[in-house]
Amino acid sequence: MENSIFQVNLSGILKVLSDSLYSSWEVFIRELLQNANDAITARSLKESFKPVIEIDFFETGTSRVLQIKDNGIGLTADEMTEFLSKIGSSSKRNTSDMFDREQQSFIGQFGIGLLSCFMVSEKIEVESTAWNSTSTMRWIGNTDGTYAIEPTDYNGYTGTKVRLAIKKDIALTSDKLTFLLHKYGDYLPVPIKYSYNAGSEITFQKEFPWLTRSTGSEALMLGNRVFGERFSHYFPIQDSKGQTQGLAYVLPHRTHTTSVSKHVLYVKRMFISDSCGDILPDWAFFVRAILNSDNLSTTASREDIYHNEILEEVRESLGISIKKYLKRLGDSDPEAMQEIIVTHAQALKSLALEDDDFFAFIKNWFIFPTTQGDLSLKQIQQQSSSILFVSDLDEFRQIAPIARANNQLVINAGYIYDTPILLKLQERDHTGKTRQINPEYFGNILNDIDIEIYDLIRKRIDVLQAILIEFDVELDIKAFSPEHVPAMLHMSQDAIQKRDFKSIRDESDSLWAGVSDAILDFDPGFRAKLFLNYKNEIVKKLLYTEASKKIDPYIQMLYFNALMMGHYPLSGKELDRMNENIMILLNTNL
């Protein structure tokens, strides 16, 4: 037997395989199973037969030998030279080759899988009898870059046998091998029979649960085992062509929108990854899936999939499948739907913002905090003639007691996605019943006082207004409940920003003051509006007290109190004045 040399630097290739291409030496089992499965597929295109993959593991002392045998199409001597001795040459690369079949029927395409065996063995022995032949050939490859091909005694069967003497530093045991055969071989269409030291056989062959009449409990148990979660909801999922399909599980707990999604993916029934994050749309982070695909292509390592147009089509199609499930669930099991909505509100609101059809379906299920508790949009529409929402949490806190006292339902839209959802609803509401409001809205709809009363206190209101001008505050008076609230303040976000810059300018040197003047337009208009409550006893005392009595500290303190109730920041000037007023009031009363 004459040795030949591989047509590349084999040691360099092996370093690339172990360091860069493959994540672990364990993948050699996958490569052997894949080659055996593809050989059987090729023969099945020629004739009908009973396929099988047989694996034997022999362990005696420090010696460990692994043998894998298939009854596939086999290889001739020329084919051994072409496909085993030329790196990157694959028997499955060309549709016009000896197999005469559709390339899509095969898992592998790259012609490097067998070399993964060099990660666990110094030598690879391949014995094969080609279909319709009675000649058996042996190919032996070595890590030193040499190989040899020779005829051997006819072994009496069509197919291929690979024999490996496992290296001492490779931690391959029978238990480990059993685990790897389950991982990579359970769902292959060919039965795998495994024997340890010529003992009793174990057969590996399962069917995907979505292709059988598995019970719901069996499907949930699979999800619980694979993902380590206690799922309550699952559903079948597939792309529009039915070539990528499986089961999707709804996570039983909240998860962040930026969390890493990990799905289990098989390609042509071969396990590829248990951390595939690209197979579902980004918004579907609340779902975990187990999928098998016949139309996706794997990378050279077969541990990931190609990012191409086919993947994008599959992602979009699977996303549609998830939406359809949620729509069906909303009709058939509202309680289960509500449970999912509560748990995964952020994800579903994010999806609704991107998808108009989904928004139209799901909007009424969304739950919002309101002045009357947490309510769904459907409940809000039933209880109120209008949908009023406040985008700022601090403004909502200021409005809430007044809204409740006046039996007005208001939504707190200060949480993520709530304002965009309600703004989208407002765009589609041609009745004008959906409105974004602020404290000024309530000030404008609250009851005006009688004109006779207003005439009596007009001069006092002008005096109070003059006191507040230095703080850029406009004064108005209303009559509203609850009576214990003396005043309510409104300040727009633009006004808050200008107010902060003005405070910095007033407290800075001339250089910064000049820069800020050039950047911002400090118009002289009022930046805040203070609504006094005529029903409040303190306000009444302030309005009807003797004209000679100094009232500056009292109206200023009502303004400062309204600032703090609305969670607006006090400027340095306001803070100093408030402290001065406290001392004045303490001295006056003590």
Side-chain angles (χ1 to χ4, degrees):
M1 179 171 63
E2 182 180 352
N3 281 353
S4 301
I5 301 176
F6 282 95
Q7 296 180 14
V8 296
N9 183 337
L10 185 60
S11 62
I13 288 290
L14 295 181
K15 181 173 177 58
V16 170
L17 294 182
S18 60
D19 293 350
S20 303
L21 188 63
Y22 294 127
S23 61
S24 166
W25 59 264
E26 297 174 1
V27 299
F28 88 96
I29 291 294
R30 182 191 65 207
E31 300 299 320
L32 288 174
L33 290 177
Q34 172 197 287
N35 287 344
N37 180 81
D38 286 349
I40 288 171
T41 300
R43 183 180 176 184
S44 69
L45 297 174
K46 301 288 188 180
E47 64 178 356
S48 297
F49 67 105
K50 188 175 181 179
V52 66
I53 299 174
E54 297 176 305
I55 298 176
D56 295 288
F57 188 46
F58 301 98
E59 190 172 21
T60 56
T62 59
S63 173
R64 291 169 298 163
V65 175
L66 178 67
Q67 179 177 285
I68 178 169
K69 182 172 72 172
D70 67 73
N71 59 347
I73 200 163
L75 295 168
T76 65
D78 290 341
E79 291 160 355
M80 283 183 166
T81 301
E82 178 69 18
F83 302 129
L84 302 185
S85 309
K86 291 183 180 180
I87 309 304
S89 179
S90 172
S91 60
K92 294 150 280 187
R93 184 67 59 81
N94 192 324
T95 56
S96 63
D97 63 19
M98 64 174 187
F99 289 155
D100 188 25
R101 51 81 190 113
E102 294 287 339
Q103 187 177 355
Q104 288 80 0
S105 303
F106 297 85
I107 301 173
Q109 302 175 32
F110 296 95
I112 56 176
L114 188 67
L115 294 184
S116 66
C117 296
F118 280 128
M119 294 191 293
V120 301
S121 178
E122 298 290 345
K123 181 171 64 174
I124 302 173
E125 296 183 28
V126 179
E127 189 176 286
S128 188
T129 302
W131 177 71
N132 268 355
S133 172
T134 56
S135 298
T136 301
M137 302 301 299
R138 176 183 294 149
W139 178 93
I140 299 176
N142 305 288
T143 55
D144 63 4
T146 62
Y147 72 91
I149 299 176
E150 64 178 0
T152 187
D153 294 338
Y154 175 55
N155 54 24
Y157 70 90
T158 297
T160 301
K161 178 170 63 178
V162 178
R163 186 176 184 276
L164 306 172
I166 305 301
K167 296 178 183 178
K168 292 182 179 180
D169 61 338
I170 299 299
L172 183 64
T173 64
S174 181
D175 288 343
K176 181 68 171 181
L177 181 56
T178 301
F179 168 79
L180 294 176
L181 292 174
H182 274 300
K183 180 177 180 178
Y184 294 113
D186 265 349
Y187 295 107
L188 288 179
V190 180
I192 300 170
K193 299 183 181 296
Y194 168 61
S195 173
Y196 174 63
N197 279 344
S200 57
E201 286 185 340
I202 302 174
T203 300
F204 299 86
Q205 189 172 37
K206 293 182 180 179
E207 184 55 278
F208 289 119
W210 55 89
L211 297 178
T212 66
R213 296 183 177 179
S214 300
T215 64
S217 59
E218 290 174 332
L220 288 173
M221 285 177 60
L222 173 64
N224 296 342
R225 175 173 57 81
V226 171
F227 296 108
E229 300 277 4
R230 297 185 64 83
F231 296 108
S232 300
H233 304 287
Y234 80 96
F235 55 96
I237 184 175
Q238 67 175 25
D239 68 353
S240 59
K241 298 178 181 178
Q243 291 186 292
T244 298
Q245 54 183 277
L247 295 178
Y249 299 84
V250 180
L251 285 172
H253 54 78
R254 294 182 183 181
T255 184
H256 197 273
T257 55
T258 59
S259 62
V260 178
S261 297
K262 294 183 178 181
H263 310 291
V264 175
L265 178 64
Y266 294 80
V267 172
K268 299 180 179 69
R269 294 179 169 267
M270 172 64 75
F271 173 82
I272 299 300
S273 174
D274 57 6
S275 58
C276 182
D278 302 320
I279 192 69
L280 294 185
D282 292 339
W283 54 258
F285 58 85
F286 60 98
V287 170
R288 296 292 179 267
I290 303 173
L291 297 162
N292 177 62
S293 179
D294 289 330
N295 54 343
L296 295 176
S297 300
T298 63
T299 59
S301 68
R302 280 179 282 278
E303 296 176 2
D304 201 357
I305 49 179
Y306 271 126
H307 289 219
N308 52 23
E309 290 183 2
I310 295 177
L311 174 59
E312 291 305 314
E313 291 173 1
V314 169
R315 278 166 55 93
E316 181 179 354
S317 191
L318 293 177
I320 292 172
S321 185
I322 295 174
K323 296 172 192 176
K324 287 181 177 178
Y325 161 73
L326 294 174
K327 290 181 180 180
R328 291 195 304 270
L329 188 66
D331 294 333
S332 62
D333 193 346
E335 290 186 5
M337 179 65 172
Q338 196 64 70
E339 180 184 342
I340 293 174
I341 292 289
V342 171
T343 304
H344 299 291
Q346 289 188 16
L348 297 174
K349 287 177 181 177
S350 173
L351 170 57
L353 290 172
E354 297 179 5
D355 189 307
D356 290 344
D357 291 337
F358 188 71
F359 175 84
F361 150 71
I362 205 170
K363 65 180 189 300
N364 288 334
W365 291 94
F366 288 143
I367 295 175
F368 300 93
T370 76
T371 50
Q372 298 181 18
D374 290 345
L375 299 172
S376 69
L377 186 59
K378 183 177 181 179
Q379 292 171 320
I380 293 170
Q381 291 169 328
Q382 292 171 343
Q383 296 183 27
S384 177
S385 60
S386 58
I387 301 174
L388 304 179
F389 62 98
V390 181
S391 298
D392 184 80
L393 181 58
D394 290 334
E395 288 188 351
F396 177 81
R397 289 169 178 164
Q398 186 180 4
I399 287 174
I402 299 169
R404 292 191 190 100
N406 290 273
N407 197 31
Q408 181 70 65
L409 191 153
V410 179
I411 299 172
N412 175 10
Y415 297 98
I416 186 169
Y417 298 127
D418 284 359
T419 292
I421 285 289
L422 292 168
L423 286 174
K424 188 167 185 174
L425 180 67
Q426 182 176 332
E427 291 175 2
R428 287 156 175 74
D429 181 6
H430 302 298
T431 66
K433 293 181 178 180
T434 304
R435 294 184 59 186
Q436 183 177 10
I437 65 169
N438 53 41
E440 186 176 21
Y441 168 86
F442 265 93
N444 292 332
I445 68 171
L446 294 176
N447 296 327
D448 291 321
I449 60 176
D450 293 338
I451 189 64
E452 294 84 0
I453 296 176
Y454 187 81
D455 287 341
L456 289 174
I457 61 175
R458 182 192 300 273
K459 290 183 179 180
R460 178 50 62 92
I461 293 175
D462 291 341
V463 171
L464 297 176
Q465 176 67 81
I467 296 171
L468 293 176
I469 279 184
E470 65 173 307
F471 301 110
D472 294 338
V473 177
E474 180 183 3
L475 189 64
D476 198 357
I477 186 160
K478 297 283 185 176
F480 56 87
S481 298
E483 296 178 3
H484 68 268
V485 176
M488 181 176 66
L489 182 76
H490 168 63
M491 190 182 306
S492 69
Q493 291 299 317
D494 183 60
I496 292 173
Q497 184 184 50
K498 289 185 177 181
R499 163 189 164 90
D500 291 340
F501 271 99
K502 183 176 184 299
S503 177
I504 295 172
R505 183 195 64 174
D506 293 343
E507 297 170 12
S508 302
D509 58 28
S510 58
L511 176 60
W512 169 247
V515 172
S516 60
D517 283 340
I519 296 174
L520 293 174
D521 176 22
F522 293 103
D523 61 83
F526 292 112
R527 314 210 190 283
K529 193 167 186 177
L530 182 68
F531 298 95
L532 294 181
N533 185 5
Y534 187 75
K535 291 184 177 182
N536 181 265
E537 290 301 320
I538 294 177
V539 172
K540 284 184 177 180
K541 289 179 181 180
L542 190 61
L543 292 171
Y544 292 105
T545 190
E546 297 177 6
S548 60
K549 189 168 183 179
K550 188 173 179 60
I551 58 174
D552 297 41
Y554 298 95
I555 185 61
Q556 289 173 0
M557 289 302 288
L558 286 180
Y559 164 61
F560 299 147
N561 178 68
L563 271 174
M564 291 186 290
M565 290 295 293
H567 293 263
Y568 297 111
L570 274 69
S571 67
K573 176 182 177 180
E574 289 164 343
L575 189 58
D576 291 341
R577 187 65 58 83
M578 184 178 70
N579 290 330
E580 292 173 8
N581 288 339
I582 290 174
M583 299 306 299
I584 291 172
L585 295 174
L586 286 174
N587 286 329
T588 300
N589 289 282
L590 292 176

